[in-house]
Amino acid sequence: MKEYTKKNKYKNEITYYKDIRFSSKKEMQRYKDLELLESTDYICNLELQKKFLLQEGYTNAKGKKIRPIYYIADFYYYDYINNKWVVEDTKGVRTEVYKLKKKLFEYIYNLTIDEL
């Protein structure tokens, strides 16, 4: 399959592998590693860009519709070795928005985000 890259605002390179878009080479490499682990049955149910609801959408007092808030994990899978669900995020820059969403996610879902 074709691989190619393009730079973005955080100076990481948008990369494509097997027609899947990754935000960085680091994220693409982690996907390749997880593919291998899944093929050898160390992990299962690998999902990319898994969306977790942090807050429902609503209509405010002025009648304006406010969209829901989501955290989107880079990877989500079941780890047979440790018998647990894993949420991973390949981070280069930890933005303030990310830090806030991480706290909300961990509180709501009682899972931790493994940052790579």
Side-chain angles (χ1 to χ4, degrees):
M1 293 278 168
K2 191 166 153 183
E3 287 183 31
Y4 55 97
T5 61
K6 177 182 171 185
K7 293 204 184 245
N8 74 7
K9 70 179 179 178
Y10 293 112
K11 298 189 180 176
N12 56 317
E13 295 180 359
I14 307 257
T15 305
Y16 292 84
Y17 170 71
K18 292 186 177 180
D19 293 326
I20 302 170
R21 180 186 183 275
F22 296 96
S23 296
S24 66
K25 287 182 179 181
K26 181 180 177 180
E27 184 181 347
M28 179 187 71
Q29 185 56 54
R30 182 60 181 157
Y31 173 70
K32 289 179 179 181
D33 295 343
L34 291 172
E35 267 188 321
L36 179 60
L37 290 173
E38 189 172 41
S39 71
T40 56
D41 294 328
Y42 285 99
I43 68 169
C44 68
N45 300 324
L46 175 61
E47 292 184 51
L48 285 71
Q49 304 300 307
K50 170 88 171 163
K51 191 184 268 192
F52 294 91
L53 181 66
L54 299 178
Q55 179 183 303
E56 296 279 349
Y58 64 96
T59 302
N60 71 11
K62 292 183 178 181
K64 181 179 178 186
K65 290 190 178 205
I66 306 299
R67 293 185 293 172
I69 299 172
Y70 293 97
Y71 166 69
I72 301 173
D74 289 337
F75 306 106
Y76 178 70
Y77 59 88
Y78 189 77
D79 179 345
Y80 282 125
I81 305 297
N82 297 306
N83 288 324
K84 68 176 189 169
W85 287 96
V86 177
V87 178
E88 287 186 354
D89 209 310
T90 52
K91 278 284 153 229
V93 177
R94 295 180 75 234
T95 65
E96 293 304 312
V97 171
Y98 169 75
K99 291 175 189 176
L100 179 60
K101 286 184 175 184
K102 179 181 180 188
K103 287 178 186 177
L104 287 169
F105 172 85
E106 290 179 348
Y107 176 76
I108 293 166
Y109 291 96
N110 197 30
L111 289 169
T112 58
I113 298 172
D114 294 340
E115 296 175 7
L116 306 172

